[in-house]
Amino acid sequence: MKSLLIVESPAKAKTLGKFLGGGFSIKASIGHVKDLPKKVLGVDVENNFKPEYVVIEGKGAVLKELKKAAKDSERVFLAPDPDREGEAIAWHIAEELNGDSDKIFRVTFNEITERAVTEAIKNPRRIDMNLVNAQQARRVLDRLVGYKLSPLLWRKVRRGLSAGRVQSVALRLIVDREREINAFKAAEYWSITARLEGQEPPVFDAKLSQIDDKKADIKNESEAKVIVDALNGKIFTVKTIEKKSKKRSPSPPFITSTLQQEASRKLRFWAKKTMLLAQQLYEGLEIGDEGSAGLITYMRTDSVRTASEAQQEARDYIIKAFGTNYVPEKPPVYKSKKGAQEAHEAIRPTSVMKTSELLKKYLSKDQYLLYNLIWNRFIASQMNPAVFDQTTAVIAARDESGLKDKSPDAFRPASCEFRATGTVVKFTGFMAVYTEGIDEAAEETCLLPPLKEGAVLNVLGILPKQHFTQPPPRYTEATLVKDLEAKGIGRPSTYATILSTIQERKYTEKLEGRFKPTELGVVVAGLLVERFPELMDISFTARMEDNLDKIEDGSSEWVRVIKDFYVPFDKDLAEVMKQPGKVKPEDIPTEETCEKCSKSMVIKWGRHGRFMACSGFPDCKNAKPLVAQSTEHRAQSTEIEPTDEKCEKCGSSMVLKSGRFGKFFACSNYPGCKTTKSLTLRISTGVKCPEDGGDIVEKKTKKGKTFFSCSNYPKCKFATWYKPVSKNCPKCGSSILVEKKTKKEHILACLKKDCGYKELLHTVGNEQTAEAAV
């Protein structure tokens, strides 16, 4: 009698089939099989918050097949992903099988390789209820917050809104940053650079660092002019030269958060896209004659631990490719952050011998780019540090006589020092393979000529330059993920969902790749911070994550954690619900006069954004769409939507705006650039082309029939009549599915003819209460 192995996805099942042979049958649950119900709370708050789990719509047939297969099997191995969610899936499947518990086992593997899978089957365990309870606690918390707060937002702001426990705090970070930016007052300052020449080339620049033994602080042009005048005629001599050797160590191999950050910096991938591609690389892809193979270890991890076998394989490769001087005497050991799940490994290739170039012909463009990033980072992490020779020259400016300037001007400097730093790479080390991206500009260095202390330098010019202090930058996906992790908000496995959720709900938008809160987002965040300060408190949210970790390690009880949160939360909610009135942005006065009653018009806030209305309401009910003064921008609302389009005139991002004749593209650099164009020819769907990674856009034929094609046409010929959906095919791994509607059914289907995957869609009624996603 065969054994049964149950995994989450068909793609993983296909890969595992190669390793287990004829003694196993492999089935896929296709994710969760049970969850809280959609249309009711599903949590009994009067009975220790007992969750009411129901079979997910469409999963009845899957469970029936699993039950039949389990009944005919000698042993059942449950192998969903090795994390809390995977443990909960295994628990729910075990409950539904109703079989002899002695024959049901849990197995996990960090990578889908023959060695890892065989070892897991040899060492099965029972379901870990601490892991299950940690997942239950998070699910119940999020359900309580989502279902309880959403009706409040409907009443206080507008219908259809929703809130979540973690993404609301992420929204607060973005709103707080925007307030910092708006409150920022730019301050003027100046720098002074001396262009100097030694006995030998090259010419180099040195920056003024000290004035009269104090740090240079030049506030305005007049101060800069006094200093430049004072420096004219001064002799510039080399005061000191400091030479030292510096080492730069490689970054550790990727964990979930650092992979998302680096993919954002270097590849411009959204966190959601990064995780989707990583899932494909983990579960397995067709690699020529080898068949389906898992290419990376599990991608949801916060541990930088690496298996010794993988380190040895990397060392062997490095010695062969670069030489023995590129590997350290002992394999490096990286320290994970406190609370990391050390049972998991870092994200690395399952075999370094499967180089990026070797696999390139088997992978899509985006799969290759991400795999190459992971491969390079891991190899670099096992290499020696890079070594630099750094030279810092301090240069004094003095009078020819050597005496101080006795000018009566109180500000006129008596002595000035300049500093120049040059760095030369002495040994490339890990940098031969990889260097980590940065979020902010690094300190400038230059190439210095040979210099000696006491040497007199030729002054080619004194260059003053005006600067202004800059406000804190808006968050990119990389910097937001970095901040979320640093503050302990959410967990790496939830970051992609958090970032996509706050955009899907129109609480934030992206301008030139950075998060900006919408007016709606500011209103919602303001209401929640004012009425639920503890829920929106960053340290409170971090402590809740710690509590979930304690449930997982068995040191805390999940019902107590939920109760401690819910009792004060429910009390605060009841008080807020009693208070009358709505929360909305203030009206904006205008100089326009009402044509009906001659009173002034104001810009009001409504369900669909801003609009123009008479200030005499309710006596005068005159209202109209918000009309911009510019004829180029016609009638447009202040609500805009970011797009991936680029302005052909200035290169800035294009945004979608609403006008008298519907939506149109407009340059985000308005009024500096007034480029607009019609939307009728192409509308971005937000879905990436599976063939070349371009945007899939909505177009119309000459007869007005809608179709979808790649924005890179005619270079890419991808096109379909069906609306694309950014969802990975569970069967073949294709990066998109399409919606198909007939009189009999509404389904999601795979476009690949030889795949045949499809799933039934169900329309949700308007009465359904929105639930938080994280």
Side-chain angles (χ1 to χ4, degrees), residues 690-708:
E691 295 185 5
D692 72 344
D695 290 326
I696 298 180
V697 295
E698 180 181 327
K699 296 184 178 181
K700 290 188 182 295
T701 65
K702 292 181 179 180
K703 295 183 178 181
K705 187 176 180 180
T706 299
F707 70 101
F708 302 88

Side-chain angles (χ1 to χ4, degrees), residues 96-256:
E96 287 295 312
L97 293 185
N98 292 323
D100 183 358
S101 61
D102 290 339
K103 78 172 189 178
I104 298 178
F105 302 93
R106 173 77 164 117
V107 293
T108 59
F109 25 82
N110 188 57
E111 59 184 80
I112 303 178
T113 60
E114 186 169 5
R115 178 192 59 79
V117 173
T118 304
E119 192 67 22
I121 296 295
K122 288 179 180 178
N123 298 280
R125 60 172 173 81
R126 297 300 177 185
I127 290 172
D128 187 339
M129 287 309 297
N130 288 334
L131 275 173
V132 171
N133 287 334
Q135 190 274 344
Q136 279 199 116
R138 179 186 290 279
R139 188 73 185 96
V140 169
L141 275 172
D142 293 339
R143 172 56 65 97
L144 290 172
V145 173
Y147 264 67
K148 295 289 186 177
L149 277 188
S150 295
L152 172 71
L153 293 180
W154 291 22
R155 179 179 295 186
K156 296 293 182 182
V157 185
R158 73 185 189 206
R159 278 188 72 82
L161 298 181
S162 58
R165 181 179 62 87
V166 181
Q167 77 264 19
S168 294
V169 182
L171 173 62
R172 177 184 183 170
L173 291 180
I174 296 169
V175 171
D176 286 350
R177 177 61 59 87
E178 195 68 18
R179 288 189 174 127
E180 288 180 56
I181 293 169
N182 293 335
F184 181 81
K185 304 291 184 185
E188 180 183 11
Y189 70 99
W190 286 68
S191 65
I192 294 177
T193 303
R195 178 147 291 181
L196 304 170
E197 183 180 44
Q199 294 296 314
E200 298 180 36
V203 171
F204 67 99
D205 290 340
K207 283 198 171 183
L208 179 62
S209 58
Q210 286 193 347
I211 302 173
D212 294 339
D213 300 324
K214 294 181 180 179
K215 183 180 178 181
D217 181 16
I218 310 170
K219 295 181 175 63
N220 51 53
E221 185 177 10
S222 60
E223 289 184 6
K225 189 175 186 303
V226 169
I227 295 170
V228 172
D229 290 344
L231 288 170
N232 285 327
K234 292 282 197 295
I235 294 177
F236 282 65
T237 59
V238 179
K239 182 180 178 180
T240 61
I241 295 176
E242 180 185 354
K243 293 183 177 180
K244 58 183 178 181
S245 182
K246 293 185 69 176
K247 288 185 178 181
R248 186 192 300 176
S249 297
S251 300
F254 282 129
I255 59 177
T256 306

